[in-house]
């Protein structure tokens, strides 16, 4: 699966049409959510989403305006509720919440859409129940068979269409600048330097993060001074949302560039597991922006590795990666967060904190791979234990010497990459 997001430019009457679609989808979602809650209160059991879906036809005959909405999009609203309830039961998410009119809007169209070219070579998106085509700006060619499309409207009034395709990895278009990957690299992610590599390279956060932070602080102060429910407050809210959007866009392109460069140059990338979710609860603004960038970075590296046939290995979060001397493996227990450089007391090596951590991550990662390779020969009994290392790769068969081998996630790896009993 491969998906692409394109900006679309609906005309005024098409905006009205889309608003109705969003409204219908939101109505069904909220109605079924309240029904699901009600049933749970009464009978203390969760109703299956398929049984809940059966209420849609009744609703449609009671509320005539729902007939103007693409019925498959309404079905999708029910399925989305099902998914979000499942994630809640698996503790991956909070409880499903009611959708609000003035937040981000979306509707899914699983079938019967198409993109056509006009005589002027402009492209138009055709969706069910709408006769005219919506202008779409496509920055890349389509490949494979398109499976579904999700139309969204942001709080700031922009429209997008995300198209998902069914496509083989080989058929995913390669960027022109894509080269042959060679190296293996360890990376350390941080607050001061965004990415530090085991080669000693540092990629710093771009300047816009700082300047945008100031703007954001000013805008939120001004919002706090506005009276609730007033027009001025709405204006301030929109202004703040636009700043947020700008930061998110700039951050996204910065993260895309960085992850692409790393994937482009390296066959294997090792990184620490961040437990990003825990980090996100930080209230400091600069810190939370950095955390978001790191989480986004890991997500992009994962899928880009999968697309491009690279291997990405996440190592369980071991504190000593920054405290351990990469030359003699002595752990410096006195190292504090503010110490950016330090000298090893045993062997005398001078270390940059982040580069040392990145080298350790590379070494630990390589030991993990070696342990796995040697396991392939002898295949000793390994009991599955708590997951400590995750491997993301599209080529699992190639890397694992023997098919019968234990997956790496079932092994417990020590600090030095050795296998624990
Ligand atoms: Zn040392």
């Amino acid at each position: 699966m491969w998906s692409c997001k394109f900006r679309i430019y609906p005309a005024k009457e098409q905006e009205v049409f889309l608003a109705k679609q969003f409204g219908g989808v939101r109505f069904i979602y909220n109605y079924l959510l309240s029904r699901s809650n009600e049933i749970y209160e009464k009978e203390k059991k969760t109703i299956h989403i398929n049984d809940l879906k059966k209420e849609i036809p009744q609703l449609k005959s009671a509320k005539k305006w729902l007939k103007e909405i693409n019925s498959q999009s309404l079905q999708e609203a029910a399925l989305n509720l099902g998914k979000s309830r499942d994630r809640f039961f698996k503790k991956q998410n909070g409880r499903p919440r009611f959708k609000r009119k003035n937040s981000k809007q979306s509707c899914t169209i699983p079938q019967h859409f198409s993109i056509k070219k006009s005589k002027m070579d402009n492209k138009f998106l055709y969706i069910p129940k709408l006769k005219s085509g919506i202008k779409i700006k496509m920055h890349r060619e389509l490949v494979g068979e398109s499976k579904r499309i999700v139309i969204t409207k942001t709080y700031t009034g922009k429209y997008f269409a995300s198209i998902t395709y069914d496509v083989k990895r080989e058929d995913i278009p390669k960027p022109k600048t894509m080269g042959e990957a060679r190296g293996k690299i360890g990376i350390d992610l941080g607050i001061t330097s965004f990415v530090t590599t085991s080669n000693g390279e540092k990629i710093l956060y771009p300047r816009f993060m700082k300047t945008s932070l100031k703007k954001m602080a000013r805008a939120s102060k001004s919002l706090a001074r506005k009276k609730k429910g007033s027009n001025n407050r709405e204006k301030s809210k929109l202004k703040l949302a636009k700043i947020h959007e700008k930061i998110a866009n700039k951050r996204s392109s910065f993260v895309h560039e960085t992850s692409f460069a790393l994937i482009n140059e390296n066959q294997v990338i090792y990184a620490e597991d961040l437990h990003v979710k825990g980090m996100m609860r930080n209230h400091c603004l600069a810190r939370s922006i950095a955390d978001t960038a790191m989480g986004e970075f890991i997500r992009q590296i994962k899928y880009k590795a999968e697309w491009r046939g690279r291997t990405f290995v996440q190592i369980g979060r071991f504190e000593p990666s920054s405290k351990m001397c990469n030359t003699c493996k002595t752990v410096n227990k006195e190292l504090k967060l503010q110490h950016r450089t330090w000298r090893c007391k045993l062997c005398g090596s001078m270390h940059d904190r982040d580069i040392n951590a990145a080298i350790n991550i590379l070494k630990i990662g390589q030991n993990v791979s070696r342990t796995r390779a040697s396991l392939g020969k002898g295949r000793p009994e390994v009991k599955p234990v708590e997951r400590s290392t995750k491997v993301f790769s599209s080529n699992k068969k190639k890397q694992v010497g023997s098919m019968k081998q234990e997956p790496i996630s079932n092994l417990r790896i020590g600090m030095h990459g050795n296998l624990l009993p």
Side-chain angles (χ1 to χ4, degrees), residues 325 327-328 330 344 347 349:
C325 162
T327 329
C328 70
T330 308
C344 173
C347 73
S349 313

Side-chain angles (χ1 to χ4, degrees), residues 324-331 342-351 356:
M324 186 172 70
C325 162
N326 75 65
T327 329
C328 70
K329 291 186 176 176
T330 308
V331 174
W342 56 285
R343 187 181 292 283
C344 173
K345 273 185 187 160
L346 196 76
C347 73
S349 313
M350 199 58 201
H351 294 304
N356 177 59

